[in-house]
Amino acid sequence: MTVDAERARFEAAVEPLIPDLLRYFVRRVDPRADADDCVSETTLALWRHRRRLPVASEEQRMWAFGVARNVLANHTRKRARRARIDDLLVRAEPEPVSDEAFIALEALGTLPASDQELLRLVLWDGFGVAEAGALAGVRPAAARKRYERARARLRAAFAALQPTLVRDGA
């Protein structure tokens, strides 16, 4: 079977089922936008497994709804995980931010995005300069040079912002 013929067979089988699949998800997920996403995921899964597409139209419908049921189960698990994480974040006490830390974050925000990312990878995420450079698509020697320049820019930005702290009475 040619690719075009396979695609045409798939579209002929699945397109008429999309309104039914949408109704299936609308009745089971909230918000409505999640139902659209679930239909998209189902269609993608059906396409990936198109070689298993049954010949008879009623079997095609059953097959599609079986895949939709799995997509719904995955969606439900994801929502439950997300809710647990959100709950943990709400219950977690925020760490107090010192004035210096606040100024440091403000200073970091004044740097170019590439400098910010390189500094974050090294200082926050624990990568070596060469590793951070590789993640950013930069050779080790260039990464070391960029890192040193970024640190110098950060120090200068921090120093420029510190008088603000003293003037504001903190």
Side-chain angles (χ1 to χ4, degrees), residues 45-159:
L46 292 171
W47 175 254
R48 281 191 204 120
H49 301 286
R50 65 189 174 275
R51 289 193 169 67
R52 292 192 229 155
L53 178 66
V55 176
S57 64
E58 190 53 37
E59 289 176 14
Q60 291 170 352
R61 188 170 192 276
M62 291 293 293
W63 177 67
F65 273 78
V67 171
R69 194 165 169 241
N70 291 335
V71 168
L72 179 62
N74 288 337
H75 173 78
T76 303
R77 280 191 297 276
K78 284 180 202 172
R79 294 282 299 198
R81 260 193 315 270
R82 206 173 310 145
R84 284 192 305 272
I85 290 169
D86 287 347
D87 186 47
L88 287 172
L89 291 173
V90 166
R91 284 190 281 142
E93 287 190 34
E95 291 182 31
V97 178
S98 70
D99 291 336
E100 282 190 339
F102 182 77
I103 291 172
L105 289 172
E106 214 172 290
L108 183 64
T110 66
L111 301 180
S114 59
D115 285 355
Q116 289 182 38
E117 183 61 13
L118 188 60
L119 288 167
R120 284 185 188 121
L121 286 168
V122 173
L123 301 173
W124 293 358
D125 300 318
F127 288 102
V129 175
E131 294 170 323
L135 288 170
V138 179
R139 291 192 175 129
R144 282 188 283 281
K145 205 170 249 186
R146 281 187 184 183
Y147 178 70
E148 287 308 316
R149 288 181 186 151
R151 282 186 57 196
R153 287 187 196 108
L154 181 61
R155 277 192 296 275
F158 184 79

Side-chain angles (χ1 to χ4, degrees), residues 5-69:
E6 186 177 36
R7 181 177 175 182
R9 179 176 177 256
F10 175 81
E11 287 175 357
V14 173
E15 250 181 62
L17 299 176
I18 289 179
D20 292 339
L21 291 169
L22 183 58
R23 279 190 294 278
Y24 173 83
F25 286 116
V26 164
R27 291 179 188 130
R28 290 164 175 82
V29 300
D30 186 50
R32 166 71 164 72
D34 284 2
D36 295 330
D37 292 342
C38 288
V39 170
S40 295
E41 284 182 48
T42 301
T43 306
L44 183 61
L46 292 171
W47 175 254
R48 281 191 204 120
H49 301 286
R50 65 189 174 275
R51 289 193 169 67
R52 292 192 229 155
L53 178 66
V55 176
S57 64
E58 190 53 37
E59 289 176 14
Q60 291 170 352
R61 188 170 192 276
M62 291 293 293
W63 177 67
F65 273 78
V67 171
R69 194 165 169 241

